[in-house]
Amino acid sequence: MIRIGIYGYGNLGRGVECAIKQNADMELVGVFTRRDPSTVKTVTGASVYHVDDALSMTDKIDVMIICGGSATDLPVQTPALVKHFNVIDSFDTHAKIPEHFANVDAAAKESGKIGIISCGWDPGMFSINRLYAMSVLPDGESYTFWGKGVSQGHSDAIRRIDGVADARQYTIPVETALEAVRSGKNPSLTTREKHTRECFVVAKEGADKARIENEIKTMPNYFADYDTTVHFISQEELNRDHSGIPHGGFVIRSGKTGKDLENNHIIEYSLKLDSNPEFTASVIVAYARAAYKLSANGDKGCKTVFDIAPAMLSPLSGEEIRKNLL
Amino acid sequence: MIRIGIYGYGNLGRGVECAIKQNADMELVGVFTRRDPSTVKTVTGASVYHVDDALSMTDKIDVMIICGGSATDLPVQTPALVKHFNVIDSFDTHAKIPEHFANVDAAAKESGKIGIISCGWDPGMFSINRLYAMSVLPDGESYTFWGKGVSQGHSDAIRRIDGVADARQYTIPVETALEAVRSGKNPSLTTREKHTRECFVVAKEGADKARIENEIKTMPNYFADYDTTVHFISQEELNRDHSGIPHGGFVIRSGKTGKDLENNHIIEYSLKLDSNPEFTASVIVAYARAAYKLSANGDKGCKTVFDIAPAMLSPLSGEEIRKNLL
């Protein structure tokens, strides 16, 4: 049995807790929280410990799955914890990945542990598919589309507007852009041409809806470069119709081969997810198995999904996967 | 530069020859043929040698790409050549993969070389996607659909019928079955429900078309279990409209997560290929780079796509792929 710890207990941590139940070769030792453990109720009845107790349990945990946020938690937690545990995180602040990798790699090489960073679906499964497709079709163009799905960051940005009680924002890929890519035309697409944004907003009593809508649609970085639709609805409607956290998207590469590059090929990978955090957690748990195997093989240092052979993710033996899946 | 040899020169060998031109870190040393080299004209002007000369060129070739057939060539050639070269093949006789793996592994471990077997898109990229998806979503069902594309084996089977001058057979996935899978219903699908077969047949002068059509539709293994359509056309029409070798298909996994498995997720990987042999060749060439890197790292033995980390396929450095693709 691979013994797992969960460090940080929000949506992602709960997803990891459930995913471990689906993998017969894993057991959850416990959840580590900054809160008072007596106040935390877990989904499956897992034990809860205070984060301060983690370092006394290094011999009870094979892989610590760090479920903190990328902004301030992971840059500190992952390098610190890899000094004591094999760890895995979902760090997704793209511009800071090189720095995070270097920090985790230095700490992991010193401790002799494995640290897998930036695991999930993007970064994660989408990244792998970009790499495979680009390696197989060097003459081509890659495209990533996200959605339809809830963007937490954009929803939060709307909630910060004066007069907004609650909000949910969906990122939606533009179907005609998807079709143009799939046709092999290798189109150049602007931000506006790739995605639209749809917002469901609960206004506070007496708030000026026209002003709120205008503030949303003109917000730099978040909405100004997109065609944005705003719907005002009640809190009840928001709770009833928009409480899920679906997401997904498409990685498409269109590339050419042949003596005169006369033949075109389309490689497409897509995800349609009812629950973004639960799917992310499922990817992380499969890579936790890889962290365990890599460590058992004597490997150490920081890894990403690019560095890990597919067989490492599976509970099956090499013989079984060759016989049943090749 | 990675120095490549091509052993066997048919459609696949020509595809490999063209693909090498698309990869700036590779050079083609030459093509090895069983025919008289003076009678073989290559697509890009590559040198042609007789297969008997291969063993005198072991110091000039880093990876030998073996482009023979799975039925009789590869079971002999791959274990024999891996005694002298890093090799890669596209062995696709599924039931015999364990035996082929064992033979290549024993020879490769003795010689200290790398032998990658069963590389291409199925087996190959489709296999990887089955493994990743199953590892991430253990509670679910996987489906593979092929087409629309030309099946060489089925076309050959039609050509063997008395009175048939030429034929081309397309395997076509059933759209309603694809939609049922994508809906998350996890349907049980019979052979007939997954694919249809469409045949374009050139009958010889005076042949009994009704008998030919009946023989096709009732042919065991090849057609009897499918809804098959037969069109009689002229040789000119066949040459004009059906000379390409397109193929493709879909690997879809539908799986559930959550406390009570209440959330569904769909992972879909698809290929739409203008040229089956050229795309297969492109995959093989990317894995030839991996064979070279693995060997340079001191690794040896038989590998499949399952055993090879994605980064191994890329000409880019770890830093570059983390910065640009993660």
Side-chain angles (χ1 to χ4, degrees), chain A residues 22 127 139 257 270 278 326, chain B residues 22 127 139 257 268 278 326:
Chain A
Q22 296 183 268
S127 319
D139 286 300
T257 66
S270 70
E278 287 181 9
L326 194 59
Chain B
Q22 298 184 266
S127 319
D139 285 301
T257 66
E268 176 167 343
E278 287 181 8
L326 193 60

Side-chain angles (χ1 to χ4, degrees), chain A residues 112-123:
Chain A
K113 301 292 184 183
I114 293 285
I116 300 176
I117 64 162
S118 302
C119 190
W121 62 273
D122 197 2

Side-chain angles (χ1 to χ4, degrees), chain A residues 273-291:
Chain A
L273 312 175
D274 277 358
S275 166
N276 183 354
E278 287 181 9
F279 186 80
T280 301
S282 297
V283 175
I284 290 174
V285 164
Y287 276 95
R289 179 179 294 115

Side-chain angles (χ1 to χ4, degrees), chain A residues 244-307:
Chain A
I245 319 177
H247 220 312
F250 305 82
V251 172
I252 306 176
R253 187 164 181 91
S254 169
K256 297 191 180 298
T257 66
K259 178 168 185 282
D260 303 307
L261 302 183
E262 67 274 25
N263 287 313
N264 199 70
H265 309 280
I266 305 287
I267 304 172
E268 177 167 343
Y269 179 81
S270 70
L271 297 172
K272 188 160 169 259
L273 312 175
D274 277 358
S275 166
N276 183 354
E278 287 181 9
F279 186 80
T280 301
S282 297
V283 175
I284 290 174
V285 164
Y287 276 95
R289 179 179 294 115
Y292 175 80
K293 289 189 191 181
L294 287 166
S295 184
N297 289 349
D299 205 344
K300 64 183 177 180
C302 189
K303 311 282 179 189
T304 72
V305 291
F306 297 137
D307 307 309

Side-chain angles (χ1 to χ4, degrees), chain A residues 101-120:
Chain A
F101 183 92
N103 292 341
V104 174
D105 195 48
K109 285 199 170 129
E110 197 176 321
S111 68
K113 301 292 184 183
I114 293 285
I116 300 176
I117 64 162
S118 302
C119 190

